[in-house]
């Protein structure tokens, strides 16, 4: 390697390192804002170097710890169960569609694509889930609506199967007496870890961040997910802060409730588990997106 190429390589590494560090700045600002006194934010705005340090937002969250810990458990449960079941359903649909010898494959692929453009709407969906499946105020209300996968994920996985799984390997297995289901779980799934990790990450994030299903189908506080609990607490604080008569009757404690810093503290405790889990999927994520996005 000549000197010019080495200099360019070092410069590229420095630039990319600075760019990567800059991606951490929003989270750092989020963290610093969550430990800043409320009045300081209102007076001076957000800052990486808070002048007035305060843990009032986290202290208020700790006072709601029993509710939040229960919500964490519900969220972890629906994320794990929902993501696992969704991966199973999505892969079981994508594998047959990836086979070019599937009778009517083009028609079924069109039906899948059609779901990306149109849906039944909120009212029919609500009536189906509550009047037919009776999932309201059950744990299934947080799992099933997101379980019926996403058309984009199924198409992504189908393209990966079609472009990555060698057809001769499947034909050899078939000649040796392997059925379709055996080829699916003995050959296709072990060779598809990148796309499974990618789609699993998409689904996991969707379940973790979901608040809409809990808002529509759940009224029992014991079944609230983390996002629903934090949203309810935030709404209560805003309601008390905006209603002068109630704030005055409740005393000075209500006036001290954080609003801006509480938003930041909510974001911090909601995003930390995702930040911890992401590095374990990152090496598969890029490969799955690159190969799965290739037109099949």
């Amino acid at each position: 390697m000549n000197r010019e190429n080495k200099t360019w390589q070092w410069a590229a590494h420095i630039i990319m390192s600075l760019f990567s560090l800059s991606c951490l700045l929003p989270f750092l600002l989020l963290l610093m804002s969550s430990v800043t006194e409320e009045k300081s934010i209102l007076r001076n705005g957000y800052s990486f170097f808070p002048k007035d340090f305060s843990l009032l937002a986290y202290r208020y969250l700790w006072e709601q710890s029993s509710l939040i810990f229960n919500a964490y458990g519900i969220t972890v449960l629906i994320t794990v169960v929902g993501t696992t079941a969704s991966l199973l359903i999505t892969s079981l649909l994508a594998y047959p569609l990836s086979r070019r010898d599937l009778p009517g494959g083009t028609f079924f692929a069109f039906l899948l694509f059609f779901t990306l453009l149109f849906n039944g709407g909120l009212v029919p969906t609500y009536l189906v889930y509550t009047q037919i499946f009776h999932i309201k105020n059950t744990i299934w209300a947080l799992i099933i609506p997101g379980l019926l996968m996403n058309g984009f994920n199924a198409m992504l996985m189908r393209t990966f199967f079609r472009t990555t799984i060698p057809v001769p390997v499947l034909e050899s297995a078939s000649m040796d007496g392997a059925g379709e289901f055996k080829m699916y779980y003995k050959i296709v799934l072990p060779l598809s870890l990148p796309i499974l990790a990618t789609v699993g990450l998409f689904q996991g994030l969707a379940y973790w961040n979901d608040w809409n299903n809990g808002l529509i189908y759940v009224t029992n506080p014991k079944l609230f997910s983390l996002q629903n609990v934090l949203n309810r607490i935030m709404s209560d604080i805003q309601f008390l802060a905006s209603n002068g008569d109630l704030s005055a009757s409740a005393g000075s404690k209500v006036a001290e409730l954080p609003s801006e810093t509480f938003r930041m503290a909510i974001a911090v405790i909601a995003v930390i588990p995702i930040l911890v889990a992401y590095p374990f999927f990152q090496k598969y994520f890029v490969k799955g997106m690159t190969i799965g996005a290739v037109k099949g």
Side-chain angles (χ1 to χ4, degrees), residues 25-93:
L25 292 180
F27 181 75
L28 181 61
L29 180 62
L30 178 73
L31 183 61
M32 290 297 100
S33 299
S34 69
V35 294
T36 304
E37 189 175 341
E38 180 82 9
K39 294 180 180 179
S40 179
I41 289 183
L42 297 177
R43 183 173 59 251
N44 304 317
Y46 299 101
S47 173
F48 288 103
F49 307 99
K51 295 181 179 179
D52 301 302
F53 183 82
S54 174
L55 293 176
L56 183 60
Y58 290 100
R59 190 178 307 125
Y60 184 74
L61 280 175
W62 181 255
E63 292 175 358
Q64 313 292 326
S65 59
S66 59
L67 189 61
I68 291 177
F69 286 152
N70 179 73
Y72 252 117
I74 293 292
T75 302
V76 171
L77 175 64
I78 65 174
T79 299
V80 172
V81 174
T83 301
T84 303
S86 183
L87 277 176
L88 179 62
I89 293 175
T90 303
S91 61
L92 284 173
L93 173 62

Side-chain angles (χ1 to χ4, degrees), residues 137-209:
N137 276 330
T138 67
I139 193 66
W140 300 111
L142 302 175
I143 296 177
I144 291 180
L147 178 64
L148 303 179
M149 88 252 143
N150 180 301
F152 172 76
N153 291 340
M155 294 182 68
L156 193 70
M157 193 173 290
R158 182 204 67 166
T159 304
F160 184 94
F161 290 160
R162 180 172 290 183
T163 57
T164 306
I165 307 301
V167 176
V169 174
L170 298 178
E171 292 177 346
S172 299
S174 179
M175 292 175 63
D176 289 338
E180 292 292 344
F181 186 73
K182 189 170 185 178
M183 287 190 289
Y184 163 76
Y185 77 87
K186 286 286 189 178
I187 298 175
V188 175
L189 291 185
L191 294 176
S192 304
L193 289 181
I195 195 63
L196 291 175
T198 301
V199 174
L201 182 61
F202 286 161
Q203 285 297 115
L205 287 173
Y207 274 110
W208 185 268
N209 294 322

